[in-house]
Amino acid sequence: MDCISQLAAQLGRQLQDAGAKVTTAESCTGGGIAEAITRIPGSSAWFEAGYVTYSNAQKSKQLGVSAELFATVGAVSREVVEAMVRGAQAHSGARYAVAVSGVAGPDGGSPDKPVGTVWLAWGDGERLYSVRKQFAGDRQEVRRQTVKTALAGLSRLLAEENPSAG
């Protein structure tokens, strides 16, 4: 079993033990976090919903992210991923959520948000954490590292640790 599958299986055990469900709100990973979770047998017991909101319009429509945020801070920002977490929780009813938005490349970067820049956020209905990461590698590697970081952060959150510390 690969590292991502191991993280997803561990997360599933933690969610099952807690009697809780998780939701994902993804942009740059295109559903990769949800796919990793649902590849684990029995995941219907702990996975509630996945939102793949690649465009800003869908972040607003599906998750309720304010269109004003995109104009002021951009889609790849702390404010947007935190709003994505809150929206995914509100729309799905899941206690736990993770959201990601980033620049996977090979183009689309800027001086302040170069390729590999990813914002992640995690929430449990009470606490909300976020972190900016700068991942190296090509598009596939940036996405893989984002999925891995998202799952590891959810696992830390369930262990009542700061998910952004890893």
Side-chain angles (χ1 to χ4, degrees):
M1 186 180 290
D2 67 26
C3 175
I4 288 175
S5 294
Q6 289 174 353
L7 285 167
Q10 175 184 327
L11 174 63
R13 287 188 299 274
Q14 290 173 288
L15 287 162
Q16 202 157 20
D17 289 348
K21 292 197 176 196
V22 68
T23 184
T24 61
E26 304 179 61
S27 187
C28 64
T29 49
I33 302 165
E35 187 283 323
I37 292 170
T38 59
R39 79 173 70 147
I40 305 304
S43 57
S44 59
W46 61 82
F47 183 73
E48 185 65 32
Y51 302 90
V52 179
T53 55
Y54 219 67
S55 71
N56 292 347
Q58 289 304 310
K59 288 175 183 71
S60 295
K61 183 177 180 178
Q62 292 186 47
L63 301 172
V65 177
S66 165
E68 187 178 288
L69 279 180
F70 302 117
T72 57
V73 295
V76 181
S77 65
R78 173 188 311 271
E79 294 86 351
V80 167
V81 292
E82 288 181 354
M84 289 170 69
V85 162
R86 288 190 294 270
Q89 288 170 313
H91 288 88
S92 72
R95 177 176 174 189
Y96 293 92
V98 63
V100 298
S101 185
V103 185
D107 49 14
S110 66
D112 60 327
K113 295 175 186 175
V115 170
T117 302
V118 178
W119 273 98
L120 300 99
W122 301 267
D124 67 1
E126 297 172 10
R127 299 169 296 168
L128 187 61
Y129 299 94
S130 53
V131 67
R132 177 183 167 147
K133 294 286 189 178
Q134 188 64 49
F135 296 121
D138 63 12
R139 181 178 181 81
Q140 181 177 345
E141 184 59 21
V142 168
R143 289 165 52 114
R144 188 192 69 73
Q145 290 175 78
T146 302
V147 170
K148 184 178 173 183
T149 302
L151 292 170
L154 281 169
S155 187
R156 281 193 297 278
L157 184 60
L158 270 114
E160 301 199 6
E161 300 169 8
N162 182 341
S164 61

